[in-house]
Amino acid sequence: MQPGYFVLPLLLALPLLGAIFVMCTPKEEHALHRGIGLFFTTLTFAVSLLTLSYFNKTVAGYQEVLDVPWIPGLGAHFKVGIDGISLWLVLLTTFLMPITMLAAHKAIDRHVREFTAAMLILEVGMIGAFISLDVFLFYVMWEVMLIPMYLLIGIWGGQRRLYASIKFVLYTMVGSLLMLVAILYLYTQYGSVTGEYTTDLEKLTSLVLPHNAQVWCFVAFALAFAIKVPLFPLHTWLPDAHVEAPTAGSVILAGVMLKFGIFGFLRFAIPLFPYGAQVCAPYIGVLAVIGIIYGALVAFAQDDVKKLVAYSSVSHLGFCVLGVFAMNSAGISGSIFAMLSHGLTTGGLFLGIGMLYERRHTRRLAEYGGIWKQMPVFSALFLIITMGSAGLPGLSGFIGEFLSLFGTFNAEQSSLPMPRLLGALAATGVILGAVYLLYMFQKVFFGKLDKTKNGNLPDMSDRELVVFLPLVLGIFILGVAPRPLLRSMEPSVDAFVNQYHNKLVEPDGPAHLQGHAAPTAAADAVNAPRADAGNGVERDLGKIAAQAREVERTLDAANRAPAAARVAGGAQ
């Protein structure tokens, strides 16, 4: 057992235990339900900090691994672990959950018990997907996330909640089913090559599929992950889901769940099918740039402030996709860092919008104006979060976007077509992001306080201040001192890039393990007698010897024929 092997299973057990516990309490005890949810999410965050104490920042491989048989007949294992890529995403998840539970204190006033249980089960699925080192376990956790979010949107959402929840499920499940087909193909191919059927990610990563198969399997995985990001043009479910979801659902959806698309590419799609990734990378890179610009322009055109932030996610996560498919250390590190920043800033924006909605019951920009005069503390904190989302230097958003663009500019032509042109076009998204975010802030907080209902808005309560301050502090820390996070990512990111390039040099042909290419037909013909001899098949050896004697007689006859012809010619 590795050091700290008990921490990751504990992160799954605590929220699951909390969900069971809250469902055993009386339905009318809303305060108790909220207290249980806040207690277990806070305890889970505290336990997650133990991962830092056991994590070795100089090691590239998986750490704190627990591997126990799960479904022996399938070859599936309950195998969990973390590396520099997943470490901070797990911490982001556990960090946002208690903040979200505290923010939902007043917003959720019906079916509180069921809401709390759904949030805790959602946390189990999210953490489980980040730490899974078994593809079947990952798929199960991927689907576990789907059900609570469907319920959050469908039960506690807005007027069009059923439409948004069904659309969310349909989009996600289409990609999931195709990913399952690719998993089954990978599973059978590994079994046919090795004789061992397993869903262990590390073992499956050593398998090299034929190039055509890699392309098709990568497309199947990529579709599921592209929908989750969401990548243009598969993004249409996101604005509806965000607008109709309760504030807690929007925060977790934007802050954590969208990250699984990027993470899926890094953990599964690219390592398993590197040739497929190389073939598809130019197309994905172009779509990412289109998404960056398109998302920013559409966000600027919105009058609903929540929909504006929803489209901003399409734009911001385009930088993450672009950084991943630059296929270099700078781009991938920037992508991971941008995901962390996006979780803090966009989560903070949705929380702020939710606080305004609780006071005014409207999200239309035209209904606001001059809010700073009534809510100075809230306005100042919301400004910091807005600037962080816009990528102001010194705040978290700048580091991730800069590294993603730097990696894009330095990408190889085999990864991205015309990388400098794509980088230049993507950089316009930074400018456009500042435009729509500052426009939104000006419309809400500045101008005349000419709306009667805005003149009585109370400033932040102590509970709301506790919700906002950790996010603002995190945005400052990531912007001023990014090096500790980047240093912990470097070994895993460098190993990822090296493994990708090493697998690309593997020859095309039948499925085989990396470094053990399948023998060719010619080699099979030469090695067949040796294999037979090694197995003691005397009959085959006799046939081979008879064939050799026959060949020898034929050669002797051929040599005697010219001599006989010369003798006959001389006699004439």
Side-chain angles (χ1 to χ4, degrees), residues 458-481:
D459 208 344
M460 301 183 76
S461 65
D462 293 339
R463 176 183 60 84
E464 292 170 334
L465 198 60
V466 172
V467 168
F468 255 65
L469 283 178
L471 295 172
V472 173
L473 185 62
I475 291 169
F476 269 118
I477 292 175
L478 264 64
V480 175

Side-chain angles (χ1 to χ4, degrees), residues 274-317:
Y275 179 79
Q278 185 185 49
V279 171
C280 298
Y283 305 102
I284 295 177
V286 171
L287 291 177
V289 173
I290 294 174
I292 291 170
I293 299 172
Y294 168 84
L297 293 175
V298 176
F300 182 69
Q302 301 304 313
D303 183 50
D304 186 317
V305 64
K306 201 173 184 184
K307 189 172 285 188
L308 182 151
V309 178
Y311 276 106
S312 77
S313 292
V314 177
S315 181
H316 285 302
L317 290 172

Side-chain angles (χ1 to χ4, degrees), residues 194-491:
T194 65
E196 175 192 4
Y197 289 89
T198 182
T199 54
D200 188 302
L201 175 62
E202 290 186 278
K203 292 182 179 179
L204 293 177
T205 304
S206 65
L207 180 66
V208 180
L209 295 174
H211 285 178
N212 285 340
Q214 286 196 48
V215 172
W216 285 109
C217 289
F218 179 83
V219 169
F221 270 73
L223 183 63
F225 299 145
I227 290 172
K228 204 75 167 183
V229 171
L231 185 67
F232 175 90
L234 304 172
H235 67 283
T236 57
W237 65 270
L238 181 65
D240 292 318
H242 269 314
V243 170
E244 301 304 326
T247 298
S250 295
V251 172
I252 296 303
L253 183 60
V256 181
M257 290 188 69
L258 300 187
K259 311 302 182 293
F260 284 100
I262 313 295
F263 177 77
F265 281 118
L266 289 170
R267 175 68 80 235
F268 296 95
I270 297 175
L272 290 172
F273 318 111
Y275 179 79
Q278 185 185 49
V279 171
C280 298
Y283 305 102
I284 295 177
V286 171
L287 291 177
V289 173
I290 294 174
I292 291 170
I293 299 172
Y294 168 84
L297 293 175
V298 176
F300 182 69
Q302 301 304 313
D303 183 50
D304 186 317
V305 64
K306 201 173 184 184
K307 189 172 285 188
L308 182 151
V309 178
Y311 276 106
S312 77
S313 292
V314 177
S315 181
H316 285 302
L317 290 172
F319 287 101
C320 300
V321 175
L322 196 61
V324 167
F325 285 91
M327 297 299 184
N328 53 40
S329 297
I332 294 172
S333 296
S335 175
I336 299 170
F337 201 95
M339 285 193 280
L340 300 175
S341 172
H342 180 266
L344 297 177
T345 57
T346 305
L349 291 175
F350 277 122
L351 285 173
I353 294 167
M355 292 178 186
L356 287 176
Y357 186 79
E358 290 176 14
R359 290 164 168 78
R360 285 284 281 109
H361 301 289
T362 181
R363 292 190 295 263
R364 295 186 63 244
L365 289 173
E367 293 296 323
Y368 292 98
I371 300 298
W372 192 298
K373 299 174 185 177
Q374 288 296 120
M375 306 174 68
V377 176
F378 171 76
S379 302
L381 295 178
F382 196 83
L383 177 62
I384 295 172
I385 296 174
T386 302
M387 291 295 119
S389 182
L392 183 72
L395 300 178
S396 61
F398 173 76
I399 304 297
E401 291 180 355
F402 173 79
L403 287 175
S404 297
L405 291 173
F406 182 79
T408 302
F409 269 89
N410 291 278
E412 298 178 0
Q413 289 284 348
S414 59
S415 298
L416 294 175
M418 297 179 290
R420 296 192 176 185
L421 175 61
L422 288 181
L425 291 173
T428 63
V430 179
I431 301 171
L432 294 173
V435 170
Y436 67 73
L437 285 169
L438 292 177
Y439 169 77
M440 177 268 293
F441 192 85
Q442 185 270 333
K443 293 286 286 184
V444 174
F445 294 94
F446 294 144
K448 295 182 179 180
L449 188 63
D450 54 0
K451 305 291 189 302
T452 304
K453 294 181 178 180
N454 294 337
N456 300 316
L457 297 180
D459 208 344
M460 301 183 76
S461 65
D462 293 339
R463 176 183 60 84
E464 292 170 334
L465 198 60
V466 172
V467 168
F468 255 65
L469 283 178
L471 295 172
V472 173
L473 185 62
I475 291 169
F476 269 118
I477 292 175
L478 264 64
V480 175
R483 186 57 188 157
L485 275 73
L486 293 172
R487 188 183 297 115
S488 65
M489 299 175 195
E490 282 177 0

Side-chain angles (χ1 to χ4, degrees), residues 13-99:
L14 285 173
L16 181 60
L17 180 63
I20 296 172
F21 190 59
V22 77
M23 289 303 295
C24 294
T25 58
K27 188 173 184 178
E28 298 77 17
E29 299 290 339
H30 291 176
L32 178 61
H33 303 150
R34 294 188 182 100
I36 292 172
L38 183 60
F39 172 76
F40 275 97
T41 52
T42 304
L43 181 60
T44 303
F45 172 64
V47 172
S48 70
L49 295 178
L50 290 176
T51 58
L52 292 175
S53 62
Y54 289 106
F55 189 80
N56 187 341
K57 296 181 180 180
T58 63
V59 175
Y62 298 118
Q63 303 182 46
E64 303 173 34
V65 174
L66 176 68
D67 183 6
V68 295
W70 181 26
I71 309 176
L74 183 64
H77 284 225
F78 182 85
K79 185 177 181 180
V80 295
I82 55 172
D83 62 356
I85 294 174
S86 59
L87 169 66
W88 296 105
L89 294 172
V90 171
L91 291 174
L92 174 67
T93 304
T94 60
F95 175 73
L96 286 178
M97 283 301 297
I99 292 175

